[in-house]
Amino acid sequence: MKTSQNTLLITGGSAGIGFEIARLFASNYNQVIITGRDSDRLQQAAARIPHVTAIQSDVSQPEDVDQLVEQLWQDFPQLNIVVNNAGLAYVHSLSENTRTFDLAREEMLTNYLSTLRLNEKLLPLLKQQKEAAIVNVSSIVAFAPNHRLATYGASKAALHSYSLSLRLALAKTTAIRVFELMPPLVNTDFSQEIGGASGIPPSIVAEALLKAFEQDQYEIHVGRTADLYALSRSSPADALLAMNPMG
Ligand SMILES: NC(=O)c1ccc[n+]([C@@H]2O[C@H](COP(=O)([O-])OP(=O)(O)OC[C@H]3O[C@@H](n4cnc5c(N)ncnc54)[C@H](OP(=O)(O)O)[C@@H]3O)[C@@H](O)[C@H]2O)c1
């Protein structure tokens, strides 16, 4: 996959991993469009990246998605990469919580179902391009869950399974490549409640994506995800323990 002269849409590009992907790809001669819900945060982020386009849009809202897709057809008919990065997680206890269903529904909607919807709606545009890619941002927890993030882990496991199928389905009839970006703990706003300060910087995740494009490496195991993946194949029980240390 080429790493310059692309037009990318990055959902949730106003902070964290999405912002760093936007910054890196913009500096590498790509046209970048970022979305987010909070307009002020989005504008502030856009002001920090030359030539980026910011569009306020919530991936979980069907009307927002329809408007976004319409605007992309109109203003960016050359769009050839979609990065499904917007996501949310709730830290909660399956044994104590009484809101498991509601929290899981929100996570599934944002992290999993909204990705399906946006991809489905953008496929006709992507199919027109000579070279195109979909990047789904899942997580290390897609391989082995952490029980404090149980329902988040399940949403990312669903996204992982879907990404495998989407890759196969699109490879049969289109030129669209499907990448899955699987970060470990990353130091962003998102992860502070689970010790994110000790995570890797989001810029490392962005660099891993660029390198994976160069090498057409479709499943991207960033940092510790590579070790955890290997462990989950050789010993699923040890992988589960590694993600859920005792004490
Ligand atoms: N941080 C980690 O340790 C880690 C590890 C593995 C995977 N990930 C995954 O990486 C992705 C990015 O996480 P991050 O750590 O960079 O998070 P972050 O720093 O909290 O940034 C999230 C970004 O997504 C936007 N966003 C959230 N909900 C949205 C929605 N419904 N529609 C549109 N934009 C939305 C946020 O802006 P607004 O709030 O203004 O909308 C923000 O720009 C997520 O999918 C996450 O699951 C993170």
Side-chain angles (χ1 to χ4, degrees):
M1 185 73 206
K2 61 184 177 169
T3 55
S4 56
Q5 313 299 331
N6 297 293
T7 301
L8 290 84
L9 169 72
I10 303 168
T11 65
S14 61
I17 295 169
F19 176 78
E20 291 299 338
I21 294 173
R23 181 149 66 176
L24 181 63
F25 277 77
S27 72
N28 212 49
Y29 308 103
N30 295 285
Q31 185 153 30
V32 176
I33 304 135
I34 56 173
T35 70
R37 295 164 301 178
D38 179 331
S39 167
D40 289 345
R41 178 145 95 141
L42 190 63
Q43 294 311 328
Q44 280 166 22
R48 294 174 58 203
I49 307 175
H51 311 301
V52 80
T53 301
I55 303 175
Q56 185 185 13
S57 182
D58 182 335
V59 286
S60 69
Q61 297 301 316
E63 313 77 40
D64 280 21
V65 175
D66 284 345
Q67 261 181 32
L68 173 67
V69 171
E70 205 181 307
Q71 190 172 346
L72 292 169
W73 271 101
Q74 225 165 56
D75 299 342
F76 300 97
Q78 75 284 15
L79 182 92
N80 71 325
I81 298 178
V82 180
V83 182
N84 292 293
N85 166 75
L88 67 87
Y90 291 109
V91 179
H92 64 102
S93 159
L94 288 177
S95 65
E96 308 298 331
N97 192 31
T98 53
R99 292 183 55 224
T100 297
F101 177 84
D102 291 337
L103 300 180
R105 181 163 55 185
E106 242 187 272
E107 288 168 329
M108 274 292 181
L109 177 60
T110 298
N111 302 344
Y112 174 57
L113 293 170
S114 297
T115 297
L116 269 67
R117 175 163 50 206
L118 186 60
N119 286 343
E120 182 176 28
K121 287 182 182 284
L122 284 175
L123 270 180
L125 184 53
L126 295 179
K127 281 180 183 169
Q128 291 191 350
Q129 318 302 350
K130 240 201 203 139
E131 204 179 10
I134 290 173
V135 180
N136 294 334
V137 181
S138 70
S139 167
I140 190 171
V141 298
F143 294 135
N146 173 288
H147 72 92
R148 294 177 65 216
L149 289 165
T151 50
Y152 168 75
S155 74
K156 292 296 187 178
L159 187 62
H160 172 55
S161 174
Y162 158 72
S163 300
L164 295 172
S165 294
L166 186 68
R167 183 175 304 128
L168 289 174
L170 294 183
K172 280 193 192 305
T173 54
T174 77
I176 307 169
R177 301 159 207 211
V178 177
F179 292 82
E180 184 182 358
L181 183 59
M182 310 183 86
L185 187 65
V186 184
N187 187 7
T188 64
D189 292 350
F190 173 97
S191 61
Q192 294 311 300
E193 210 181 336
I194 50 162
S198 61
I200 61 171
S203 57
I204 300 278
V205 183
E207 283 159 19
L209 177 61
L210 195 84
K211 197 163 161 221
F213 270 20
E214 279 167 0
Q215 301 174 346
D216 276 334
Q217 177 202 340
Y218 298 123
E219 202 170 282
I220 312 161
H221 300 161
V222 187
R224 186 184 168 223
T225 304
D227 292 341
L228 198 276
Y229 173 71
L231 191 59
S232 73
R233 299 290 119 169
S234 60
S235 172
D238 285 339
L240 198 57
L241 196 60
M243 289 299 285
N244 297 271
M246 299 294 189

